[in-house]
Amino acid sequence: MEISILFLPLIASIISGFFGKYIGDRNSEIVTSVLVSISALLSVFVLYQVIVNQYEENIVIATWINSGSLDVNWSMLIDPLSAVMLVVVTSVSSLVHIYSIGYMSHDPHKPRFMAYLSLFTFAMLMLVTSDNFIQLFFGWEGVGLCSYFLIGFWFKKESANAAAIKAFVVNRVGDFGFAIGIFLIFYLFGTVNYSEVFQQIPTVVDKNLSFIGFEVKAIDLICLLLFIGAMGKSAQILLHTWLPDAMEGPTPVSALIHAATMVTAGVFLVVRCSPIYEYSPLILNLITIVGMTTAFFAATVALVQTDIKKIIAYSTCSQLGYMFFAAGVGAYNVAMFHLFTHAFFKALLFLGSGSVIHAFKDEQDINNMGGVWKKLPYTYALMIIGTLALTGFPFLSGFYSKDAIIEFAYLKGNTTGFYAAGIGIFTAFLTSIYSWRLIFKTFHGEYNNKEVKIEETHESPLVMLIPLMILSIGAIFAGFLFKDLFVGHAGDNNFWADSIKFLVPLSTEHPPTWFLLLTPCLVLLSIPIAFYLFVKNKELSNQIANINKPLYNFLINKWYFDELYEVIFIKPSKKIGLFLWKICDGKLIDGFGPDGVSSLIKKCSIKANKFQSGFIYQYAFVMLLGFSALLTFLIIK
């Protein structure tokens, strides 16, 4: 059964990818959707077994590498952590597959698209079920490759190609650090299997290494390198620039990447490696700082974006920041809780935005929308649910997980924890403002689209709405139903067993009542503020932007990260590339190598050709010269 969960998406991908033109578009859609849905149902059963019977298993599929001390298997590790990820990945993926049947109905390459989605799912499942770092890295690179395929799916669009390359290259930066981290783990422990590495971690706590001229603690270096990999995949600040550009892919791709697969891989890595990170307070503090900075940065940028998908993309970036600073303060279980709830409401928001884009005939600018809440009643209601969950509205899923993160940051009691809690509360307020800005400008106010008449807008077909309805159930109830299981009472985290390690038990205290009420009050207060700014008095929001023009430009240009990287990395790289190509490769290697040799032979051939004149006296003269040279050589010798 467990192996079926893993390989059904791969089989679906092979059938649709290689035989799609024989079985047809509709059969490709049905096969991939059904097989991934079966995988999702089996995953739910496995999670049930884990919860009720504390089921754990390590199923060896095949021996992969056996060389010296390196012994690596293809295996499937089932424990509480992987069981949760199996449900998240397969459930969201199956709904995205079904939704894509309607969304991609006019695309001429549906089998290829469905094959990519299923392959993406398989790669992520390989990642989350691995019991060693090599298999993890295989899945890690697999989701990176599939993201390249899917972001650049419409490859005839130049912007889509550029976005796919950008995602691939930026992730290579993080992956390079991750790969070095795996090499270092093997160098220190002689193994890459989780269980063996985690057992030996205490033996290297005091060990120092010389790294690029610096003396560093081995445990800190391992944690830092692994975190660099996580930063790339989960789009944390400095390695985040690929995420908003990834919106060039079809909307179902955005939902899959942002809710269940690629960007959650980094959070999963840090949580899986909690037995390592618990011994490195320095890197945990760094993770907290990076996480809270990312959360704040992405929320500020989302305030001024006009592309409906980019607003939600920056929202993802911000929520990932929350997950990381939860892990940074040691609340790994709470980070996983937010990852779990976030998957439902973020997939709901992305697929809901796809429904809006579908209604507006591919329009994505929220300034060109408005006034359609009566025309799209189901999409409107479902996106309201997703927005309420995202903002942490009381008693919806985001309320339980996001507030738990802020509370545990506060209870950490150190300076970093207090800063993270404060920024977390302020970011929650910003999140609510930009989320309601999206809703109000999309569905309320005047109708602003000049290309599509309001009469032409229409609700999406049932095949697109049913996945939204299922996700809305998760967005409403996932937090309430799973909070005790994931977070536990008074620090009781028995569900996670040994899949998460707490060297220092989490605090069992409760923050002050005023602190508990602060975030929900700000979230509720933001709704009338957003309504007034973006519906009742639009001029005021424009005046605020004009008064703070430098700040507005700073935010609309995304803190100028892209421009900064253009100056620091891209332009110098292009110049170095041109120098290596034109001078080193063209003039030196080719000039003195194949081009030079062939040119010399050609010139000699042209000269030698002149001796073939057809006159006997010239041939006789040349023979005489040759004979004289030979005779001279023999006499001298």
Side-chain angles (χ1 to χ4, degrees), residues 151 154 157 163 242-251 253-255 257-258 307-314 350 364:
I151 294 167
W154 288 320
K157 281 174 62 179
W242 67 271
L243 194 64
D245 290 38
M247 296 305 98
E248 289 292 337
T251 302
V253 174
S254 305
I257 289 176
H258 287 247
D307 185 311
I308 187 171
K309 286 170 67 177
K310 285 193 176 180
I311 295 170
I312 304 173
Y314 276 109
F350 263 116
Q364 294 185 199

Side-chain angles (χ1 to χ4, degrees), residues 333-618:
N333 55 332
V334 182
M336 285 302 300
F337 184 31
H338 194 51
L339 186 154
F340 181 75
T341 60
H342 175 265
F344 293 105
F345 58 71
K346 188 50 57 71
L348 175 58
L349 284 170
F350 263 116
L351 297 183
S353 71
S355 185
V356 173
I357 294 165
H358 187 74
F360 279 93
K361 298 183 179 178
D362 298 329
E363 177 60 68
Q364 294 185 199
D365 192 334
I366 58 173
N367 290 326
N368 295 329
M369 299 178 184
V372 293
W373 69 276
K374 290 182 179 178
K375 294 286 291 180
L376 310 174
Y378 299 113
T379 300
Y380 173 65
L382 293 165
M383 284 198 72
I384 287 286
I385 292 171
T387 299
L388 289 170
L390 168 64
T391 57
F393 192 84
F395 310 116
L396 271 75
S397 60
F399 167 75
Y400 294 100
S401 56
K402 188 187 291 184
D403 278 26
I405 291 173
I406 295 170
E407 288 167 24
F408 276 105
Y410 177 84
L411 291 172
K412 184 69 174 176
N414 59 10
T415 305
T416 309
F418 287 136
Y419 271 119
I423 289 176
I425 292 169
F426 184 59
T427 301
F429 176 70
L430 296 180
T431 301
S432 196
I433 292 288
Y434 71 68
S435 298
W436 287 108
R437 170 179 175 262
L438 183 152
I439 292 293
F440 291 139
K441 288 179 80 71
T442 302
F443 294 101
H444 290 271
E446 298 176 358
Y447 185 78
N448 298 311
N449 197 297
K450 297 177 182 178
E451 301 293 327
V452 182
K453 293 179 181 179
I454 191 168
E455 294 79 16
E456 296 176 14
T457 58
H458 57 85
E459 189 59 271
S460 297
L462 210 55
V463 73
M464 292 172 65
L465 290 176
I466 289 174
L468 293 176
M469 293 173 184
I470 295 171
L471 288 167
S472 68
I473 295 170
I476 296 170
F477 297 111
F480 174 75
L481 293 175
F482 288 91
K483 63 182 174 65
D484 292 335
L485 183 71
F486 282 21
V487 182
H489 293 293
D492 180 16
N493 298 301
N494 289 333
F495 165 70
W496 298 105
D498 294 327
S499 62
I500 295 177
K501 179 166 184 173
F502 299 94
L503 204 60
V504 178
L506 291 175
S507 174
T508 57
E509 299 177 8
H510 290 281
T513 305
W514 66 266
F515 185 82
L516 295 174
L517 294 174
L518 185 57
T519 307
C521 288
L522 286 173
V523 167
L524 292 170
L525 180 64
S526 67
I527 300 175
I529 292 173
F531 183 78
Y532 182 76
L533 285 173
F534 305 114
V535 178
K536 296 293 288 183
N537 191 354
K538 293 181 181 179
E539 289 303 315
L540 180 58
S541 59
N542 293 331
Q543 288 170 7
I544 292 171
N546 290 328
I547 292 169
N548 299 283
K549 199 69 176 175
L551 177 60
Y552 177 79
N553 289 334
F554 181 68
L555 296 181
I556 202 73
N557 287 292
K558 302 161 287 191
W559 290 26
Y560 293 103
F561 272 106
D562 283 314
E563 290 78 4
L564 187 65
Y565 288 172
E566 179 81 19
V567 173
I568 296 175
F569 299 115
I570 298 173
K571 286 183 178 177
S573 297
K574 283 183 177 179
K575 289 179 179 177
I576 293 170
L578 283 171
F579 171 77
L580 293 174
W581 173 32
K582 295 289 187 181
I583 305 299
C584 295
D585 192 37
K587 292 187 177 179
L588 295 179
I589 297 174
D590 287 347
F592 289 100
D595 289 351
V597 172
S598 62
S599 177
L600 179 63
I601 292 172
K602 185 178 179 181
K603 288 177 181 178
C604 292
S605 299
I606 292 170
K607 295 290 185 184
N609 188 48
K610 292 180 180 179
F611 290 106
Q612 304 297 320
S613 62
F615 295 109
I616 295 176
Y617 66 86
Q618 287 187 352

Side-chain angles (χ1 to χ4, degrees), residues 15-268:
I15 292 172
S16 183
F18 289 103
F19 305 103
K21 63 181 179 180
Y22 303 111
I23 64 176
D25 293 355
R26 182 46 53 92
N27 287 331
S28 295
E29 293 168 339
I30 291 171
V31 166
T32 51
S33 300
V34 167
L35 291 181
V36 175
S37 296
I38 293 171
S39 184
L41 293 173
L42 294 174
S43 297
V44 171
F45 181 72
V46 167
L47 180 61
Y48 173 79
Q49 289 286 86
V50 170
I51 295 170
V52 175
N53 301 321
Q54 289 77 51
Y55 172 69
E56 288 193 26
E57 188 63 68
N58 190 357
I59 302 163
V60 177
I61 298 169
T63 300
W64 185 20
I65 302 172
N66 192 344
S67 176
S69 63
L70 182 61
D71 187 10
V72 178
N73 293 323
W74 284 108
S75 58
M76 191 171 183
L77 175 64
I78 303 296
D79 66 357
L81 185 56
S82 62
V84 169
M85 289 301 297
L86 284 175
V87 170
V88 169
V89 174
T90 55
S91 60
V92 172
S93 179
S94 61
L95 294 173
V96 167
H97 275 73
I98 296 166
Y99 177 92
S100 299
I101 295 173
Y103 190 86
M104 302 294 287
S105 59
H106 302 298
D107 194 275
H109 305 291
K110 290 186 276 291
R112 178 164 63 91
F113 182 75
M114 302 304 283
Y116 287 166
L117 285 183
S118 298
L119 185 63
F120 204 170
T121 307
F122 166 73
M124 189 65 189
L125 293 176
M126 289 296 297
L127 189 157
V128 300
T129 58
S130 61
D131 76 338
N132 62 80
F133 286 99
I134 302 295
Q135 186 180 330
L136 174 73
F137 193 71
F138 170 82
W140 194 270
E141 293 302 308
V143 293
L145 176 66
C146 293
S147 72
Y148 174 78
F149 291 154
L150 286 165
I151 294 167
F153 180 75
W154 288 320
F155 55 85
K156 292 183 180 179
K157 281 174 62 179
E158 189 176 338
S159 57
N161 269 325
I165 292 169
K166 186 176 183 179
F168 198 75
V169 170
V170 172
N171 271 276
R172 296 290 73 70
V173 177
D175 294 353
F176 180 68
F178 184 32
I180 296 175
I182 295 173
F183 296 153
L184 182 58
I185 286 171
F186 182 70
Y187 170 74
L188 290 173
F189 305 112
T191 180
V192 289
N193 296 315
Y194 294 151
S195 57
E196 297 170 5
V197 171
F198 297 160
Q199 285 176 2
Q200 296 181 57
I201 287 296
T203 63
V204 299
V205 170
D206 299 320
K207 185 179 178 66
N208 290 334
L209 292 172
S210 180
F211 183 71
I212 57 172
F214 295 95
E215 194 76 14
V216 293
K217 292 181 70 173
I219 193 75
D220 290 341
L221 185 57
I222 291 170
C223 291
L224 176 62
L225 292 169
L226 295 180
F227 179 57
I228 289 172
M231 284 177 67
K233 274 290 178 287
S234 293
Q236 294 302 282
I237 195 165
L238 301 180
L239 294 178
H240 68 279
T241 52
W242 67 271
L243 194 64
D245 290 38
M247 296 305 98
E248 289 292 337
T251 302
V253 174
S254 305
L256 192 58
I257 289 176
H258 287 247
T261 54
M262 189 163 168
V263 297
T264 61
V267 180
F268 171 80

